[in-house]
Amino acid sequence: MTRQLRPRKSRPSYAALAGFETDEERDEDRAGPSSSIAFLEDEGDSESDFNPGEAPDAPSVDEGEEEDLVEADQILEEEAAEEVQVQAKPATLKRKRPPAQSKGKAKEKAQSPAKAIVGPRGSKRQMYVLPTPSVHHRHRAVALYSRVGRVERLASRPTLFGPPSSTLTNGFTENSKVTDRVNKSWGYNVGSGPLWDLVEDRGWYKEALTTGNGVDDEAKRRPRVYQDVTLRHGWEILSVEDAAPYLPTDDVTTEDGQLKPPPPIFCYFGAIKTQSRQELAMFHSISMSQFISESKAHVFNAGAPVWGLDWCPIHSEDRSARSYKQYLAVAPFPSHSHSPDIGRKVSRPSYACIQIWSLSSTQPVTTTKKNASKVPDVGHMKCEMVVCLDTGPAYELKWCPLPSHDLKDEKKPHKKLGLLAGTFEDGSLSIFAIPDPSDVMPAENDGSQPVFVKLPHPILRIELEETSCWSLDWANSEVIAIGTTSGTIAVYNIGAALKTVKDPYHPTITDLLPTYYLAVHQSAIRALGWIKAPLCLPSGAPRVDQDPTVIASAGYDGMECLTDIREGHGSVMNRTRDVINTLAFSAFAGGPIMMDHENTVKAYSASPSMLGRGHSLFEPQGPVWTISASDFHPQLAVGAADGSCSTTNLLRSTRRGGSVPFFVHKIFQMDYNRNTKEFRMLDRFLPQETLDRTTAMRAAKGKAKQSDSVLPTGTGAWPREVGVHRVVWNNGNGLGPSSLLAAGTASGLCRVDVLWGRWLKDKVPYGGVAGVRMEDLNDMEVDSENSEDDSDPS
């Protein structure tokens, strides 16, 4: 007997019995699919204790006007917040109500069905939704690591070439009150540089000493490393004639086929109406105080476009022996016409050089203020040494982040200045032990010319057969990450290998294998940086003796990724249609600083509670070449293709329309005359308030007459000679020199500025820095209501 199916019988609808509208009644007057979907609609108030209600001060905005009132960089976050609230509210079926009796011959209006929300709402900019607790203000930066102990701060305004006066104070993460006060106080900085009152070291390195006395001092937090590593045997001092092939050259050859030296650069300096034309030859420098009395900047000529630039860290106990001299590594291209091909390796030998410049005092260094000169010492820039290499020009240079030099009074046959890593045109990542310029300077050298030192081999070389090394970043002194031209990230633990180089005759280390090799991007990785925060135990305690594991990367595919090397794959955080040339990690912002659409500089959070949440900082007038963040302050430096070098505050006010403007300070801007082949360097720009282009355009359309917003103007095209290729803060020489900013340009001109900030109305909030840090145990707490506005908390 065959199986019979039960006949279909109509069953009573429980929704109809309860008085709810049924599917058939709702769909009878409109066309639709054969199987309808039950639509859910939110009630005005669910009376649930878990229902997140609107903020009491939140303005009520109609759905049609929402896009006109929201800032462009907040659109994604507001849409995400709405979705979170929609999903959090308990939804109920709409109760069917009898239609009102129509009067006369008026026809009853057809009821339009509720719109279905299927999945997360689409975004115009991104294809995912990020959670955000609130959309009515910018969120303050969340610290990734809460350090136990005290930190050093400056007790008086530091001098550039002298011992700083410092004292111990409560750190940024001492407690929530100190965190809020310090974060808020940084927002009252209206200057181009950091506030010397608030600078502190927020860097974290696993090599820091955590036991014994003085663990809060810089000497213990940033100890010397690789003290036993020696210079490689075979280095030699070259004459000017022998060093000529390694130096930058002109594009024109002589009659005998030799390339000419680069011609001098003619540039105008000074105030806009009284500029002076100056000639700068290669290895020459000039002080900007000759043209602007209050300026402490220096300009020098490296001879060719500069792509590599970094300050050398010096241990705190050896600075006085070196007269507080600062060293800067500069890597120029072989000529102005040199253009690198991504992924193409040049064969060795390919001659290039790295220049070691110094910023030193022009007056005798004194240890007491009584003997100090009343005339400010602006210092003097000088090229002390040129390192001649056969690896091709450097794409990027970075010193070992911890001091790796030999002490000045140490008795060694040949002393080193430090370990310098770089990615070079031969496709390798090479680490060189750089000689100390004062140790190799011949006695017959009068100081007018640098000493030329040839280093035939590095102490460590990493080469990958299938790709080229393109970018790099140190996690600490032992772990390094490499971004390649094929889109892979290679992580190497080089600490154990470098510690074996104790003999000058030790061969170059070339057989090192990566600990991680991850395919993250689809094209070349132009920039990457470690998220320098320690791992945590299950209890939540940080493991400060372990290496970081998260890398932020950006490439030519427009992808911005966060990669935990333990997981083996990257997570896309943002996508743009532009080439991303740079990124930087900021301990003050709590995450990486990257690029967004239309050259917008944007800060993202790496905190678990705010992962991926970001806000726009400002929009330069040209594509961004480089950005730099410091471990000592929240000032961000940006170099762009339009020739501008600018700074802005990462910890500015969180409220829209607060009392403190969102300033962008243009430090200088390069200009070039194609007809006369002359440059000019413009200074003394007024600070500009950050203006969101999209919001300003919307306001201009609606209120063309009343709107006083002026959009930034620009040509959209600039000579390639004016681009600022690299900017870098002095990040390894303590609190005093943290105001030094170096910039390298496509013209070969480089500039070093001394930048300090200024309090709004010259008034320190909370009654002084001691109140900001809550150093007095009896310090009264600030009313919690005042912590949410931008009024002066003094």
Side-chain angles (χ1 to χ4, degrees), residues 557-615:
D557 56 357
M559 307 291 286
E560 297 169 344
C561 301
L562 282 181
T563 304
D564 192 328
I565 58 178
R566 299 170 298 177
E567 295 183 354
H569 64 85
S571 300
V572 179
M573 188 168 55
N574 190 24
R575 173 185 292 177
T576 69
R577 294 184 179 180
D578 301 324
V579 173
I580 304 172
N581 293 307
T582 180
L583 65 84
F585 169 75
S586 172
F588 285 79
I593 315 296
M594 296 185 178
M595 301 299 108
D596 206 349
H597 301 283
E598 302 296 334
N599 307 318
T600 302
V601 182
K602 194 169 184 178
Y604 292 91
S605 176
S607 172
S609 60
M610 300 287 292
L611 184 60
R613 178 32 165 105
H615 61 270

Side-chain angles (χ1 to χ4, degrees), residues 150 268 327 541 649:
R150 296 166 69 82
Y268 288 86
Y327 293 96
N649 187 4

Side-chain angles (χ1 to χ4, degrees), residues 146-277:
S146 298
R147 182 181 178 272
V148 178
R150 296 166 69 82
V151 297
E152 289 180 310
R153 72 168 178 89
L154 293 172
S156 61
R157 189 182 184 91
T159 58
L160 191 57
F161 307 106
S165 176
S166 61
T167 183
L168 293 178
T169 184
N170 295 326
F172 167 73
T173 56
E174 178 71 19
N175 54 57
S176 60
K177 287 293 183 182
V178 174
T179 299
D180 182 70
R181 288 190 178 192
V182 175
N183 246 340
K184 190 174 182 180
S185 298
W186 271 115
Y188 287 87
N189 179 19
V190 294
S192 59
L195 297 166
W196 67 263
D197 317 62
L198 291 183
V199 289
E200 65 171 286
D201 186 3
R202 291 199 197 172
W204 164 72
Y205 297 98
K206 72 171 187 177
E207 296 87 348
L209 304 179
T210 57
T211 58
N213 298 327
V215 294
D216 298 325
D217 299 337
E218 183 192 355
K220 298 296 181 64
R221 295 187 60 184
R222 295 174 180 256
R224 280 202 310 138
V225 295
Y226 301 120
Q227 303 179 26
D228 297 331
V229 175
T230 61
L231 297 178
R232 279 292 312 275
H233 175 74
W235 65 272
E236 58 178 327
I237 297 178
L238 303 179
S239 62
V240 178
E241 294 77 14
D242 295 336
Y246 298 89
L247 304 180
T249 61
D250 195 4
D251 300 328
V252 181
T253 60
T254 60
E255 295 180 355
D256 56 355
Q258 300 294 328
L259 290 172
K260 293 182 178 181
I265 293 179
F266 295 94
C267 186
Y268 288 86
F269 299 100
I272 184 65
K273 295 183 179 180
T274 60
Q275 284 198 318
S276 174
R277 184 175 182 266

Side-chain angles (χ1 to χ4, degrees), residues 47 65 166 315 317 598 759:
E47 300 182 357
E65 301 176 354
S166 61
H315 195 259
E317 296 178 353
E598 302 296 334
W759 291 102

